[in-house]
Amino acid sequence: MKGSALELAARIRCEVVELDRVVERTQRVWSRAVRSEPDQDLYIESVALNLHGLYSGIERLFELIARRIDRSAPSGETWHRDLLEQMARDQTEARPAVISQASANGLDEFRRFRHLVRNVYTTNLVPEKIAKLMAQLGNVWTRTRAELLAFAEFLEELDRPDSTP
């Protein structure tokens, strides 16, 4: 598992950089959307798409961790929610929790929004719901980002010569 742990740590670090870009772009576009400029709906749609992409990117990392480290990924109708909960729990002898329960709670709002974006027309997006997510985005991402990077460090520790297998 040591080599794959290093590979996964590198993937987490690369994805965090990309997700930083998504967050920055989302915040930039949101600042234009709230100014009530012409075509405000287009800015709101862009924000919604970027929030969708942010959660999808985080979830991809969670899937990799579940498969490569936990050796068990949830399935079934509620697998998205179950995966998020799995990442907030220690996996005995495999790994510590990847994220805190506070991060899981915050990310769950983004998970539900991602589901909404996938299943409604963009003309049905509610700007007030997006505003609520945007108000939370900075704190949720900052905490989740730090936890993902700490988990990458944990994975790198597994490959150190003095670490246990």
Side-chain angles (χ1 to χ4, degrees):
M1 177 165 83
K2 287 188 176 191
S4 65
L6 271 183
E7 185 180 297
L8 182 54
R11 174 78 183 268
I12 290 169
R13 290 186 184 286
C14 287
E15 290 291 328
V16 163
V17 170
E18 292 302 319
L19 293 170
D20 280 338
R21 290 183 185 133
V22 172
V23 169
E24 186 278 325
R25 180 182 177 91
T26 305
Q27 291 170 327
R28 190 166 25 98
V29 173
W30 180 248
S31 71
R32 297 188 89 175
V34 296
R35 284 191 233 144
S36 298
E37 294 185 9
D39 297 325
Q40 180 185 33
D41 57 329
L42 300 176
Y43 292 115
I44 289 172
E45 291 169 12
S46 175
V47 168
L49 181 61
N50 279 291
L51 291 174
H52 174 286
L54 174 68
Y55 188 80
S56 294
I58 293 168
E59 187 176 72
R60 274 191 308 276
L61 289 175
F62 291 168
E63 285 181 271
L64 287 171
I65 293 165
R67 286 192 172 92
R68 293 185 185 176
I69 305 300
D70 300 357
R71 304 271 188 230
S72 172
S75 60
E77 192 174 306
T78 62
W79 79 266
H80 296 280
R81 185 189 66 219
D82 296 343
L83 179 64
L84 183 58
E85 291 172 2
Q86 181 176 330
M87 293 299 111
R89 288 190 309 267
D90 289 338
Q91 298 296 311
T92 308
E93 296 186 31
R95 63 162 176 81
V98 177
I99 58 170
S100 64
Q101 191 57 54
S103 289
N105 293 342
L107 287 170
D108 194 49
E109 296 290 325
F110 291 87
R111 178 193 62 81
R112 290 196 305 249
F113 181 75
R114 193 263 318 262
H115 177 77
L116 178 75
V117 169
R118 285 183 171 183
N119 293 292
V120 301
Y121 291 107
T122 55
T123 55
N124 294 330
L125 293 171
V126 179
E128 293 79 19
K129 286 185 180 182
I130 296 173
K132 180 182 173 193
L133 288 172
M134 289 306 299
Q136 298 170 7
L137 178 60
N139 288 336
V140 170
W141 174 240
T142 298
R143 185 174 48 244
T144 302
R145 180 186 193 282
E147 291 167 352
L148 285 169
L149 293 174
F151 188 73
E153 287 179 29
F154 162 78
L155 292 172
E156 291 161 349
E157 277 290 316
L158 293 177
D159 198 49
R160 293 214 164 64
D162 58 339
S163 69
T164 56

